[in-house]
Amino acid sequence: MNSRSQECVQALRYLSKEEAVAMETELLRDYRFGRQQLTEMLGHACATAIAKRQPTVLVVCGPDQNGCVGLACARHLRLFEYIPTVFTPKRSSDALHQDLMLQCERMDLPFLSYLPTEVQLINDAYNLVVDAVLGPETDLESVGEPFTGVLQTLRGLKAPIVSLDIPSGWDADESSSDGISPALLVSLMTPKRCALSFPGSHFLAGRFLPYDIQRKYELNLPKFSGTDCVVQL
Amino acid sequence: MNSRSQECVQALRYLSKEEAVAMETELLRDYRFGRQQLTEMLGHACATAIAKRQPTVLVVCGPDQNGCVGLACARHLRLFEYIPTVFTPKRSSDALHQDLMLQCERMDLPFLSYLPTEVQLINDAYNLVVDAVLGPETDLESVGEPFTGVLQTLRGLKAPIVSLDIPSGWDADESSSDGISPALLVSLMTPKRCALSFPGSHFLAGRFLPYDIQRKYELNLPKFSGTDCVVQL
């Protein structure tokens, strides 16, 4: 009886880029979630996923939404008593990004002024590098410097990488063999298609999707335990 | 050695109303925290504190900030697989409150259209009542209906009450013997003076205060365990 009911469990869905964008639009527009609110929940959940591993961490944050989650994640890691270092390759014009930066600065998080191109320096200084550079919404055709340089450095690292939502530089719809290769992927809200055959550790962060949204997009999310905001897939 | 270092631990501070207001102003103005962001973290932490007790819950939410936290708390309780019921005695003109209401509605949380004055009905239907009606900032001189009626009903309940931040109707600066008498108090960010000799269970919710703020207000917060956002005092 028990094994039969397990067979009937629907498989977790991996969303296309288009579906992911549509779902987020709906959360903001129809459910009146705020970006601040979503970013905070996601950043907190990412930090929780990472904290299970207890490393010294470099958090590389891009100028858009993925970078915002990275900044919130870095701040929560600090509150979990790590000392994360932050690097932001490009100044952002987004007010939420600027507020999250200031919160990190006033929490005394150290910021790198540049990313060493000598990867050995990074490997020696950090047990883990968080990749919050580019997200699913990034138009990869238009990615130039400083991001191409940063991605090249990340590709050369020996220190394990944790990517938030998708590995930076990947298309959300397909996996990549020549892009960066994270040891751990933290999908935000739902996994994206590019993660379908992801070989590393895979966490899902964020436990707040309305049930109607879960049904509409047929997400078949796994069960979160107790009050956990993170689940390993 | 160990016992000596424990003796040196400074006592947790209980803030006056004035200090609590000053600290929150500073968080919003100088640290650029957003109300949405703070409310979400606090609501989540309150739900976590409550979820340790596993009851069926009625959440009574006022029209101001305390009620906002109550609404976020109710939504997270739903996500933790309880079925909380919400009652809001008064419509709010606050946009954040309205957004949080809509999020609860679209998460299919049941709303009561009125609070039964017959307390036995409430005692029978709920294992726990969350009091998120009035907060420390409330001017008690100007509290009239519908709140006086709601507080009177809460005072007559046998079902245990959980108050968020301070028991509604209490002055933040002094404990009250004739007001409502919660079984459990969840202080938000820091405990307020009225909780100094609180006889029930006491939790502290919210783990995000910048260290400079903690030092400035000499908070001497207790240690949170692991990635917990709640600690029992």
Side-chain angles (χ1 to χ4, degrees), chain B residues 12 45 49 52 185-187 202-207 221-225 228-233:
Chain B
L12 174 67
K52 294 181 193 278
L185 177 65
V186 186
S187 289
H202 191 184
F203 284 84
L204 182 66
R207 182 185 186 175
L221 296 182
K223 208 173 147 47
F224 290 80
S225 168
D228 288 359
C229 55
V230 164
V231 61
Q232 184 156 13
L233 298 178

Side-chain angles (χ1 to χ4, degrees), chain A residues 171-222:
Chain A
D171 186 296
D173 285 341
E174 44 197 313
S175 71
S176 160
S177 51
D178 59 349
I180 66 171
S181 168
L184 190 149
L185 178 64
V186 186
S187 289
L188 306 184
M189 296 193 274
T190 62
K192 313 307 175 296
R193 282 208 183 143
C194 64
L196 254 169
S197 53
F198 181 71
S201 302
H202 191 183
F203 285 84
L204 183 66
R207 181 184 186 176
F208 54 79
L209 287 179
Y211 298 106
D212 279 353
I213 286 273
Q214 295 187 32
R215 278 187 289 270
K216 176 170 176 183
Y217 290 89
E218 297 168 354
L219 298 182
N220 306 314
L221 296 182

Side-chain angles (χ1 to χ4, degrees), chain A residues 32 36-37 40 99 103, chain B residues 32 36-37 40 99 103:
Chain A
R32 302 287 304 155
Q36 208 179 68
Q37 188 181 13
E40 194 61 33
D99 287 350
Q103 290 162 22
Chain B
R32 301 289 303 155
Q36 207 179 65
Q37 186 182 13
E40 193 62 32
D99 287 350
Q103 290 162 23

Side-chain angles (χ1 to χ4, degrees), chain A residues 104-123:
Chain A
C104 284
E105 285 162 8
R106 300 210 61 176
M107 287 285 286
D108 292 330
L109 271 73
F111 278 69
L112 292 186
S113 53
Y114 67 96
L115 192 67
T117 47
E118 181 56 69
V119 292
Q120 193 56 42
L121 292 172
I122 303 174
N123 291 332

Side-chain angles (χ1 to χ4, degrees), chain B residues 22 33 45 61 66 73 90 146 171 176 186 195 210 221:
Chain B
F33 277 97
C61 300
N66 207 258
C73 170
K90 191 177 175 184
D171 185 297
S176 161
V186 186
L221 296 182

Side-chain angles (χ1 to χ4, degrees), chain B residues 84-162:
Chain B
T85 298
V86 178
F87 174 62
T88 57
K90 191 177 175 184
R91 191 174 288 271
S92 175
S93 58
D94 174 13
L96 177 58
H97 194 285
Q98 290 169 2
D99 287 350
L100 291 162
M101 281 278 284
L102 192 138
Q103 290 162 23
C104 284
E105 285 162 10
R106 300 210 60 176
M107 286 286 287
D108 292 330
L109 270 75
F111 279 69
L112 292 186
S113 53
Y114 67 96
L115 191 68
T117 47
E118 181 55 70
V119 292
Q120 193 55 44
L121 292 172
I122 304 175
N123 291 333
D124 289 347
Y126 305 101
N127 297 133
L128 195 78
V129 175
V130 175
D131 153 32
V133 185
L134 305 173
E137 72 290 351
T138 307
D139 174 14
L140 295 174
E141 302 288 316
S142 66
V143 170
E145 289 300 341
F147 305 107
T148 39
V150 168
L151 294 183
Q152 194 181 336
T153 302
L154 293 183
R155 267 201 301 277
L157 284 185
K158 283 229 177 65
I161 293 177
V162 178

